[in-house]
């Protein structure tokens, strides 16, 4: 009897996980349609269900927020890694990898502004902060690139996270106060600033 019950539980776990994934995708579409301030009622309508049904999977708006952040984080980190790895595989060098990674970040937030604003508008959270976790993952990846191509760098993790913080701060201002600067121009200027410091690490 216990084996049968376990199998049933496992089957329903898979179904619930699939439904959560579907609701996250629906929420992202609702954010794109209604903006970063989308309400649970609008999410429920988009999903063709009720707020009660949505809460059954996420408990509350914060739970849904965390799930959306995790989904966005997977996409963003994958795109940054692909962009930097492609530049390095093509033999373009670490500077090209930096600009490729910065451009991948800017490209995502430019194409999904409301989703980005939804993610960075942090509600009061109990426990893990998905935005901080995302920054940590990206910072560690940049640090690994610095370590691989600038082995003499004394503090790759510090520099990796400093670059990520710089890009994020500039990107937030770029979205909030547009002045005609294109994504390509911003990526180039940020790379120039970052590379001025990074290129000197080889002898640090």
């Amino acid at each position: 009897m216990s084996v049968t019950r376990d199998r049933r539980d496992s089957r329903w776990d898979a179904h619930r996980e699939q439904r959560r994934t579907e609701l996250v995708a629906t929420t992202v579409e609702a954010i794109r349609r209604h903006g970063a301030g989308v309400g649970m009622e609008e999410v429920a309508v988009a999903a063709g269900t009720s707020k009660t049904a949505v809460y059954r999977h996420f408990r509350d708006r914060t739970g849904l927020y965390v799930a959306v952040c995790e989904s966005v984080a997977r996409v963003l980190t994958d795109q940054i890694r692909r962009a930097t790895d492609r530049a390095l595989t093509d033999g373009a060098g670490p500077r090209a990898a930096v600009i490729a990674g910065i451009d991948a970040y800017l490209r995502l937030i430019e194409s999904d502004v409301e989703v980005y604003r939804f993610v960075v508008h942090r509600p009061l959270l109990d426990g893990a902060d998905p935005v901080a976790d995302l920054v940590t993952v990206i910072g560690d990846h940049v640090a690994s690139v610095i370590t691989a191509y600038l082995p003499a760098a004394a503090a790759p993790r510090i520099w990796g996270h400093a670059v990520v913080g710089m890009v994020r701060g500039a990107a937030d201002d770029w979205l909030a106060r547009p002045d005609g600067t294109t994504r390509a121009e911003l990526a180039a200027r940020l790379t120039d600033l970052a590379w001025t410091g990074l290129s000197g690490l080889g002898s640090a």
Side-chain angles (χ1 to χ4, degrees), residues 177-199:
R177 302 190 300 173
D179 61 359
T181 300
T182 66
R183 186 187 83 228
E185 289 171 341
L186 180 60
R189 290 170 184 172
L190 289 173
T191 301
D192 286 343
L193 181 58
W195 195 250
T196 299
L198 292 175
S199 61

Side-chain angles (χ1 to χ4, degrees), residues 10 33 38 40 79 84 110 114 129 157 177 200:
S10 176
R33 188 177 307 117
V38 66
M40 292 296 286
Q79 289 189 6
T84 55
E110 181 184 44
E114 292 303 322
D129 181 343
R157 197 175 78 184
R177 302 190 300 173

Side-chain angles (χ1 to χ4, degrees), residues 107-121:
R107 183 171 61 248
L108 180 70
I109 71 173
E110 181 184 44
S111 63
D112 248 339
V113 175
E114 292 303 322
V115 173
Y116 178 74
R117 286 174 175 155
F118 178 88
V119 167
V120 298
H121 177 66

Side-chain angles (χ1 to χ4, degrees), residues 3-197:
V3 172
T4 301
R5 187 161 49 250
D6 288 344
R7 286 175 179 171
R8 287 176 179 172
D9 287 345
S10 176
R11 185 183 67 217
W12 283 112
D13 284 347
H15 173 76
R16 283 191 289 269
E17 187 57 37
Q18 179 182 352
R19 184 55 177 155
R20 277 176 58 90
T21 300
E22 292 169 351
L23 286 171
V24 168
T26 299
T27 301
V28 169
E29 290 303 318
I31 294 167
R32 289 170 178 157
R33 188 177 307 117
H34 300 287
V38 66
M40 292 296 286
E41 185 66 44
E42 291 163 323
V43 171
V45 169
T49 188
S50 65
K51 286 197 296 184
T52 301
V54 176
Y55 286 137
R56 189 178 305 132
H57 291 278
F58 298 101
R59 189 180 62 186
D60 55 20
R61 180 181 170 87
T62 298
L64 181 59
Y65 164 80
V66 171
V68 170
C69 283
E70 291 171 346
S71 177
V72 172
R74 284 192 294 271
V75 172
L76 182 56
T77 53
D78 180 64
Q79 289 189 6
I80 291 174
R81 283 183 175 132
R82 284 175 181 269
T84 55
D85 290 349
R86 189 181 306 116
L88 294 172
T89 300
D90 291 344
R95 188 184 193 284
V98 171
I99 195 169
I102 291 174
D103 185 69
Y105 180 91
L106 296 176
R107 183 171 61 248
L108 180 70
I109 71 173
E110 181 184 44
S111 63
D112 248 339
V113 175
E114 292 303 322
V115 173
Y116 178 74
R117 286 174 175 155
F118 178 88
V119 167
V120 298
H121 177 66
R122 311 184 200 187
L124 294 175
L125 298 175
D126 294 326
D129 181 343
V131 175
D133 291 345
L134 170 60
V135 171
T136 297
V137 170
I138 297 174
D140 287 350
H141 178 64
V142 175
S144 70
V145 173
I146 294 172
T147 299
Y149 287 86
L150 298 170
R157 197 175 78 184
I158 291 174
W159 277 91
H161 285 264
V163 169
V164 172
M166 177 190 71
V167 172
R168 184 183 167 197
D172 287 352
D173 181 71
W174 177 60
L175 290 181
R177 302 190 300 173
D179 61 359
T181 300
T182 66
R183 186 187 83 228
E185 289 171 341
L186 180 60
R189 290 170 184 172
L190 289 173
T191 301
D192 286 343
L193 181 58
W195 195 250
T196 299

